[in-house]
């Protein structure tokens, strides 16, 4: 704990010094200053290095620079009990001398004490801040009332249940009267109100009078306030550590009387003790800490882990004895009223027992619904509350994990308008926690909306008791500090390759995104790494290369992948599967006639190519299954990819595929003898002694070599070796560089992992040089490797490194084995997930459990059910315990059961399983091998052959070259993957895994352009999303848009309610549709033709009485049809058929809208409009019988088509409420 230098002005009792003494914080008292003679006697007793008697005569240079500076200038000029001259007198301006000291010396910590009324002097207070900132009736005999009775009537003050600010004048004359005491407060009582314990100062020995000591008490800062203020101040300034801060919080829980009573005897008894473990080893430790502190606060002494002579040294014991944790433990033992040996259990008032919660949790995970209650648990309301208590318990557990996390990785995926977010986090000790943030409804699934829902889920997770049913909404409390902590510690995001998911990640990174307005900065300002799901990327290794070859894609489609393929039809059709099984069974003894049309084109080349492709697919499947796990060890990714490429080269390039057990070898064996079958009445035969020629094998292998070359390119694009997750390969224990101490001393540390260490230093530590990280890696790596060997090579990589960090966690061990940088890299290694397959599994599980009923749930209920359904059962006991606490907090007053259950103890009969069918059905005969067993044997054979380094049988090799099967499609696929690799390079450049100096000079401008394009595309995408949102939003028109309009309404619709609603909007009814601004109808779809044309031309509102009265229903706004120059000719028959429309057009004539009387005028105007390339500026309205005359004329409309022509909806103003 660092020493604090303290100074004070207007010192009085110098309360800060007493607080530091109480907390056991080492300090040096540099100076103090007070003009009061009584105060000077106390200051002499406290023995500061300098004592000043007048701040006004002291120069700024005389007072030394200190870490903690306190000042409490006179308050008489501002207090309600004083003259309130404020800053107009010299006494009120004394604070400026302290401000001058602060401006000159700039102390790291500053405390000013003053009455609240100083804020009434706004100019003076603003000056100080600018410089520093650079009642109902009651029974007085039962409720304590404190009265400052010594003051004059005009300044007399009183407070109920609390004490007002104790002033120097009133305390000196002992003028505080308390009604419950029935007398004045004495000096000890006033001291306790200021936080001091009885007898803290021998004031009589210092020759102080009662008035002087009382004045000092009234003039002092409150000790209890400083006790709680100093620890966070010291922590934020770096003078104490987090663990020391927690110990100081424990001290603050003790009463000052206990501290006073035992302050002088803390070192009189020995805390040293020893004990013997099960195997007879003696260990030494601290009996006090072991008894009084929780496990999380124990050091090596508290845990009794001192086992060596090196650890048992005087300076180590002295350091422990002076530690804040040890002092706090001693004080807790001395406090007689505290039961420090065990935590006080919370009284779980009315909470259901643990078994009821366990039953409900199992019921939910089986997909049970709560609407009818849960048997053995309770009715719907009780079950619903218990469900919330379980979900809230999970969230509280997750919040405790996230609060101590050093780094956080979010995993996110979207399916069927649901967004599920999980997290992985880790501490600096590489301790990993995995949990669920929540599930939300996301529609539309745009990048912006995904980001917004993610923020909502994080906010809900950080809100205590969020959405508690049947509870006061005020019980929900947002932990803003935790939310900010999570946001700033999200360093990585794992998503699939969907464009909106990746774009949402960029939104969260960028401060220019529209989502940045939520917090005033980027949603996740520390997010640097966006990991695309490696399981999806591995599937592309299988699919993309064969799609470049027409023959391979045809075989894959016809036999397997297409919906009408043989495999798909057999799998999805029960009758077809029965026929297939019967044919297979019969074909073992005789030729079979079949109607499978796919067999018409079957030949030896197709069968062999399919077998080669099946072997390649199985190799890809090994890699896919490696990534398709709930958690993937990042340290093994590089090895898994390297093994995949080695196996491909071994099988296809070295041609071991012909002799290694697998689909190809089985097919070759099958084709050695002829097989006859009948298809559509035609006898077919495949195989035989000469069935598979070398030419066929050569052609098939050439296609597979081309496929393998493309697969390698896809691997480089989807799994680049320079990305962050592959750099964690240094933590793989089997590949750890095995060097003895002498070898390291002679040759230095191995350079095998220098590239990965350098990239980790760049990306995670922002360090140019990785030498410190490398030294720490090899130092702790030896400990981790030793643990791996001791476990029989069965311990996981993460476990080994956790043990290494744990064994070197003490202060002394960390001095010998520094891990400042390595522990950060290990925290990221434990946190970052290379795959989001766990979310895919969660979606499938939720679908099976909740089924379609989840679509009918409220969002909060659905979120709770999902969290419980996918939660880790290993934490159930802890969750159930917390859930009982939640119940006691929220529902302690719930009705308790008065009678025992009538069915308690009654066993229920279980339905016997119905066994039917052949008992031997599905039995596996010794000679029949299942598909799973076949694949297991095949993979083992390939691994064994590769490990033994066998040489391929020369007699089976064929001349094959990938160029024989290479096409333009292969070239396009190569170019596509090259572009993707370059994109991955630029993304790693953003995350820091790659540095700009590694790029060729010609790529630097392209990288800059890539980043600019990303920002530009994000802004364009968000603007487009906003436009779409504006079109589809159900926004009610603003009141001012509908104020004072003219409305046309049918008298049949008029009611008293409607008239009042129209009067409220200042609407005037009109009968002239040409001047109407609003058309009100009961059904807008049945609007008369003339009315609809009038509304389209004038740009009127269309609405219903329901919208005007209750705000429910459509309110549509049309754009004005007369907004452009238009000339209209109405044919004679049109005028006769639609006289109301013609009269309407006559009334609407204006400068931009004119009627043409004759056909000749129309022809001339139409020609001019065409010459100006604006033919729509002149139109004709005709009757259906006149269509012949105008058949070659553009823009000649009948009445209905004319209405459609002028109708344009104003989508930004229209809405449909309710």
């Amino acid at each position: 704990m660092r020493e604090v230098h303290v100074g004070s002005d207007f010192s009085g009792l110098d309360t800060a010094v007493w607080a530091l003494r109480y907390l056991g914080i080492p300090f040096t008292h540099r100076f103090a200053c007070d003009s009061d003679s009584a105060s000077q006697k106390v200051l002499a007793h406290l023995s500061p290095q300098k004592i000043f008697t007048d701040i006004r005569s002291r120069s700024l240079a005389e007072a030394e620079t200190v870490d903690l500076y306190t000042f409490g200038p006179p308050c008489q000029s501002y207090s309600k009990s004083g003259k309130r001259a404020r800053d107009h007198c010299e006494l009120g301006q004394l604070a400026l001398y302290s401000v001058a000291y602060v401006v000159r010396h700039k102390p790291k910590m500053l405390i000013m004490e003053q009455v609240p009324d100083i804020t009434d002097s706004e100019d003076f207070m603003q000056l100080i801040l600018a410089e520093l900132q650079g009642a109902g009736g009651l029974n007085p005999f039962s409720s304590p009332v404190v009265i400052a009775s010594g003051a004059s009537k005009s300044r007399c003050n009183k407070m109920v249940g609390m004490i007002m600010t104790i002033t120097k004048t009133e305390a000196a004359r002992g003028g505080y009267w308390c009604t419950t005491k029935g007398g004045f407060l004495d000096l000890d009582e006033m001291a306790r109100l200021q936080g001091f314990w009885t007898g803290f100062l021998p004031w009589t020995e210092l020759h102080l009078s009662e008035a002087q000591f009382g004045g000092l008490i009234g003039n002092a800062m409150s000790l209890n306030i400083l006790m709680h203020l100093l620890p966070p101040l010291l922590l934020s300034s770096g003078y104490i550590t987090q663990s020391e801060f927690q110990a100081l919080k424990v001290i603050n829980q003790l009463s000052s009387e206990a501290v006073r009573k035992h302050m002088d005897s803390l070192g009189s008894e020995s805390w040293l003790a020893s004990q013997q473990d099960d195997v007879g080893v003696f260990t030494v430790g601290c009996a006090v800490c072991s008894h009084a502190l929780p496990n999380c606060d124990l050091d090596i002494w508290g845990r009794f882990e001192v086992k060596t002579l090196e650890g048992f040294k005087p300076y180590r014991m002295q350091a422990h004895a002076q530690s804040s944790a040890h002092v706090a433990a001693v004080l807790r033992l001395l406090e007689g009223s505290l039961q420090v040996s065990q935590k006080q259990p919370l009284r779980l008032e009315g909470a259901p027992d643990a078994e009821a919660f366990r039953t409900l949790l199992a019921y939910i995970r089986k997909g049970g619904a709560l609407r009818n209650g849960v048997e053995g648990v309770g009715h719907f309301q009780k079950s619903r509350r218990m469900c919330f208590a379980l979900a809230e318990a999970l969230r509280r557990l997750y919040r405790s994990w996230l609060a101590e996390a050093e780094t956080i990785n979010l995993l996110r995926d979207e399916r069927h308008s649901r967004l599920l977010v999980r997290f992985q986090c880790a501490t600096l000790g590489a301790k990993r926690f995995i949990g669920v943030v929540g599930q939300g409804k996301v529609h539309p699934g745009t990048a912006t909306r995904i980001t917004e829902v993610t923020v909502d889920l994080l906010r809900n997770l950080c809100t205590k008791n969020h959405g508690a049913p049947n509870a006061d909404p005020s019980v929900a409390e947002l932990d803003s500090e935790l939310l900010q902590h999570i946001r700033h510690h999200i360093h990585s995001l794992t998503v699939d390759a969907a464009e909106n998911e990746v774009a949402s990640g960029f939104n969260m990174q960028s401060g220019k995104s529209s989502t940045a307005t939520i917090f005033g900065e980027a949603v996740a300002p520390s997010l640097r790494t966006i990991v695309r799901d490696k399981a999806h990327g591995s599937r592309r290794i299988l699919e993309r290369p064969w799609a470049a070859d027409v023959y391979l894609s045809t075989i894959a489609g016809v036999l397997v992948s297409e919906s009408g393929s043989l495999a798909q039809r057999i799998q999805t059709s029960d009758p077809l599967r029965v026929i297939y099984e019967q044919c297979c069974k019969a074909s073992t003894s005789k030729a079979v006639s079949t109607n499978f049309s796919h067999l018409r084109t079957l030949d030896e080349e197709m069968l062999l190519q399919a077998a080669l492709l099946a072997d390649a697919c199985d190799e890809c499947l090994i890699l896919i299954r490696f990534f398709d796990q709930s958690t993937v060890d990042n340290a093994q990714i590089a090895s898994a990819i390297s093994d995949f490429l080695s196996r491909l080269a071994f099988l296809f390039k070295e041609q071991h595929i012909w002799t290694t057990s697998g689909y190809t070898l089985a097919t070759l064996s099958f084709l050695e003898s002829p097989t006859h079958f009948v298809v559509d009445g035609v006898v077919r035969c495949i195989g035989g002694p000469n069935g598979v020629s070398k030419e066929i094998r050569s052609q098939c292998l050439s296609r597979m070599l081309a496929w393998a070359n493309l697969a390698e390119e896809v691997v480089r694009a989807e799994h680049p070796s320079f990305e962050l997750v592959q750099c964690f390969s240094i933590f793989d224990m089997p590949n750890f560089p095995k060097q003895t101490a002498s070898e390291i001393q002679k040759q230095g540390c191995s350079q095998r992992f220098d590239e990965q260490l350098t990239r980790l230093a760049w990306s995670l530590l922002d360090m140019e040089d990785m030498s410190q990280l490398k030294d720490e890696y090899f130092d702790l790596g030896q400990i981790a490797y030793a643990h791996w060997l001791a476990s029989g090579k069965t311990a996981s990589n993460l476990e080994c490194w956790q043990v290494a960090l744990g064994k070197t966690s003490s202060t002394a061990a960390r001095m010998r084995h520094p891990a400042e940088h390595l522990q950060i890299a290990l925290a990221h290694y434990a946190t970052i997930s290379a795959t989001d397959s766990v979310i895919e599994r969660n979606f499938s599980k939720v679908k099976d459990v909740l089924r379609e009923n989840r679509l009918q749930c409220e969002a909060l209920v659905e979120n709770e059910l999902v969290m419980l359904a996918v939660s880790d059962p290993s934490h159930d006991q802890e969750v159930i315990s917390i859930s009982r606490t939640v119940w006691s907090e929220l529902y302690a007053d719930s009705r308790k059961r008065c009678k025992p259950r009538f069915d308690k103890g009654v066993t229920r009969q279980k339905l016997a399983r119905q066994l039917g069918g052949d008992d031997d059905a599905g039995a596996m005969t010794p000679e029949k091998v299942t598909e799973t067993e076949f694949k297991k044997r095949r993979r083992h054979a390939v691994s064994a052959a590769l490990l033994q380094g066998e040489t391929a049988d020369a007699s089976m090799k064929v001349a094959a070259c990938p160029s024989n099967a290479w096409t333009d499609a292969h070239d396009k696929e190569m170019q596509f993957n090259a572009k993707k690799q370059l994109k991955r390079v630029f993304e790693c450049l953003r995350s820091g895994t790659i540095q700009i100096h590694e790029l060729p000079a010609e790529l630097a401008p392209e990288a800059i352009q890539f980043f600019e394009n990303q920002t530009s595309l994000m802004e364009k995408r968000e603007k487009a999303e906003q436009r779409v949102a504006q079109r589809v939003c159900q926004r009610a028109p603003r009141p001012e848009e509908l104020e004072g309009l003219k409305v046309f309404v049918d008298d049949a619709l008029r009611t008293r309610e409607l008239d009042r609603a129209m009067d409220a909007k200042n609407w005037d009814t009109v009968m002239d549709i040409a001047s109407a601004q609003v058309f009100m109808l009961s059904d807008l779809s049945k609007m008369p033709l003339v009315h609809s044309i009038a509304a389209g031309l004038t740009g009127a509102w269309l609405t219903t009485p329901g919208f005007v009265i209750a705000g429910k229903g459509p309110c549509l706004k049309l754009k004005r049809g007369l907004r452009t120059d238009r000339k209209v000719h109405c044919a004679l028959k049109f005028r006769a058929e639609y006289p109301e429309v013609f009269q309407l057009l006559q009334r609407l004539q204006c400068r931009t809208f004119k009627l043409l009387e004759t056909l000749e005028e129309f022809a001339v105007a139409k020609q001019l409009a065409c010459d100006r390339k604006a033919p729509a500026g002149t139109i004709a309205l005709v009757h259906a019988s006149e269509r012949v005359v105008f058949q070659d004329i553009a823009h000649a409309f009948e009445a209905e088509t004319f209405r459609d022509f002028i109708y344009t909806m104003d989508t930004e103003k229209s809405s449909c409420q309710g």
Side-chain angles (χ1 to χ4, degrees), residues 252-265:
N252 275 327
Q253 298 173 3
L254 301 171
S255 68
S256 58
E257 291 298 328
V259 178
R260 177 195 63 77
K261 187 185 301 180
H262 302 286
M263 182 68 78
D264 299 329
S265 61

Side-chain angles (χ1 to χ4, degrees), residues 151-164:
S152 63
K153 185 176 181 180
S154 61
R155 293 189 176 93
C156 182
N157 192 15
K158 69 176 186 298
M159 297 195 77
V160 180
M162 62 182 70
I163 184 71
M164 68 283 289

Side-chain angles (χ1 to χ4, degrees), residues 254 262 265-267 269 271 286 288-289 292-293 321 323-335 340:
L254 301 171
H262 302 286
S265 61
L266 290 178
E269 298 292 337
W271 48 265
C286 176
V288 177
C289 293
L293 296 180
S323 67
S324 298
H326 178 74
V327 173
V330 173
L331 292 177
R332 296 190 76 178
L333 284 176
L334 295 176
E335 178 65 71
V340 296

Side-chain angles (χ1 to χ4, degrees), residues 21 66 279 346 363 419 421 432 495 507 609 612 675 755 825 865 906 937 1022 1025 1049 1052 1122 1127 1157:
R21 283 186 175 186
V66 295
V279 295
L346 179 69
Y363 179 79
L419 185 74
V421 183
R432 178 166 59 191
V495 297
N507 286 4
Q609 193 70 73
L612 288 166
T675 301
E755 179 183 349
L865 294 175
V906 178
R937 292 181 183 179
E1022 290 182 343
E1025 291 171 356
V1049 56
L1122 303 179
K1127 295 179 180 180
E1157 292 295 331

Side-chain angles (χ1 to χ4, degrees), residues 216-421:
L216 290 173
I217 292 173
N219 199 40
M221 297 183 186
S222 297
L223 175 64
N224 47 5
I225 293 177
L226 282 181
M227 287 279 295
H228 288 82
L229 189 61
L230 278 173
L233 191 61
L234 292 166
L235 176 65
S236 62
S237 301
Y239 282 85
I240 61 176
T241 64
Q242 182 68 36
S243 61
E244 291 168 339
F245 171 72
Q246 297 298 332
L248 294 180
K249 288 175 64 179
V250 173
I251 296 177
N252 275 327
Q253 298 173 3
L254 301 171
S255 68
S256 58
E257 291 298 328
V259 178
R260 177 195 63 77
K261 187 185 301 180
H262 302 286
M263 182 68 78
D264 299 329
S265 61
L266 290 178
S268 61
E269 298 292 337
S270 174
W271 48 265
L272 198 61
S274 63
Q275 64 183 24
Q276 188 176 10
D277 61 17
D278 297 336
V279 295
V281 177
F282 280 93
T283 58
V284 180
C286 176
V288 177
C289 293
S290 174
H291 182 64
L293 296 180
N295 292 334
C296 60
D297 293 332
L298 295 178
D299 61 5
I300 190 173
W301 291 92
R303 296 192 299 268
F304 276 80
E305 293 182 355
V306 180
K307 302 178 182 179
T308 62
L309 290 177
E310 184 178 353
F312 193 68
K313 289 185 177 180
Y315 79 91
R316 296 183 185 276
M317 290 188 285
Q318 184 179 7
H320 175 75
Q322 295 175 352
S323 67
S324 298
H326 178 74
V327 173
V330 173
L331 292 177
R332 296 190 76 178
L333 284 176
L334 295 176
E335 178 65 71
S337 60
L338 291 179
Q339 297 293 331
V340 296
S341 60
Q342 58 183 357
K343 294 183 179 179
Q344 289 290 339
L346 179 69
R347 296 184 63 188
L348 302 176
E349 293 290 346
D353 57 27
E355 188 59 34
F357 278 105
R358 191 172 290 106
T359 300
L360 178 62
L361 187 56
Y363 179 79
I364 291 173
R365 285 175 175 161
K366 290 180 180 178
L370 304 180
R371 56 181 174 270
N372 296 323
V374 180
E375 186 177 0
V377 175
H379 52 77
F380 168 74
Q381 288 293 349
K382 181 180 179 181
S383 300
R384 173 70 187 90
R385 291 178 178 181
M386 290 177 64
C387 178
F388 170 79
L390 286 166
E392 174 61 19
L394 262 179
R395 287 192 287 263
R396 291 188 183 185
L397 183 62
Y398 295 159
R399 286 196 288 268
S400 66
W401 293 347
L402 291 166
E404 59 180 274
E406 171 65 20
T407 177
I408 300 171
N409 171 230
L410 293 185
L411 299 87
R412 188 175 64 190
D413 199 3
E414 185 260 340
R415 183 191 291 183
H416 301 313
S417 298
R418 297 299 194 280
L419 185 74
L420 182 59
V421 183

